[in-house]
Amino acid sequence: MIVATAAALMLLASPAPPAPLIQAPAPAQATAVGLSIPAMASFLAAQGLTVGPVEQDGDRRFIAVADGPVRWVLFFQSCEGDVCSDLQFSFGFSNAGVTMDGVNRWNRERRFLKAFFEPGATPQAPAAAATQFDVLINGVQGVEQLADPLAVWRSSILEFPAVVISPAPAA
């Protein structure tokens, strides 16, 4: 009896058992954040650019873009299906006047696009220069969020060759 009374007192003195946990609803199926490849291609075409079909090289998907005489490539990165959360604009060319000093000048003086130098494969082959621009995409703003990065890209690549091609040495 004493044991039963002590046990009853302990139960009365102990805090109430915790309320049952409210079970959270099952998480919604994750949706990809970013923009769809077709929506981005349509946006570029609406800006007056000629957009090629989506191509693939290994795991990398991309489209070739013509902006008048200038040709460049848009790589789709971090994609889930056709929805991608970042992009890489890419442009390159070869020319005998391309120098490492010119590419270094570009990287020193320009803020958003990074540039690379590639020496010619042979002494007779011209050197090459490439520039890239990485852009993060959010899932909130729609394709309009590409307007500013595209404007920066288009104006910068027009200036790129003049900066990375060093003038001919003075005679």
Side-chain angles (χ1 to χ4, degrees):
M1 178 77 160
I2 294 179
V3 173
T5 304
L9 287 175
M10 286 178 59
L11 284 174
L12 291 174
S14 67
L21 295 176
I22 299 173
Q23 187 163 356
Q29 185 145 4
T31 57
V33 175
L35 296 172
S36 74
I37 292 172
M40 289 185 275
S42 294
F43 176 81
L44 294 173
Q47 306 310 305
L49 302 170
T50 303
V51 179
V54 176
E55 299 180 51
Q56 189 151 349
D57 181 21
D59 290 339
R60 297 186 76 181
R61 287 185 284 175
F62 62 94
I63 53 175
V65 179
D67 188 355
V70 180
R71 308 281 187 261
W72 47 273
V73 176
L74 182 61
F75 289 97
F76 301 103
Q77 313 276 13
S78 304
C79 301
E80 289 184 32
D82 273 353
V83 176
C84 305
S85 61
D86 58 276
L87 307 170
Q88 185 178 72
F89 294 83
S90 184
F91 169 72
F93 69 99
S94 58
N95 182 292
V98 171
T99 66
M100 188 178 303
D101 286 341
V103 171
N104 287 340
R105 181 173 46 254
W106 175 271
N107 286 329
R108 185 176 52 253
E109 296 173 1
R110 305 302 167 125
R111 183 166 172 207
F112 296 107
L113 282 61
K114 60 186 174 196
F116 303 92
F117 173 78
E118 181 70 33
T122 67
Q124 297 77 26
T131 188
Q132 297 174 333
F133 182 31
D134 294 321
V135 177
L136 298 174
I137 303 297
N138 66 51
V140 179
Q141 294 174 299
V143 294
E144 296 78 25
Q145 68 188 295
L146 298 177
D148 288 340
L150 182 62
V152 168
W153 174 251
R154 291 175 81 181
S155 66
S156 296
I157 62 173
L158 293 177
E159 300 168 356
F160 182 64
V163 173
V164 301
I165 295 176
S166 292

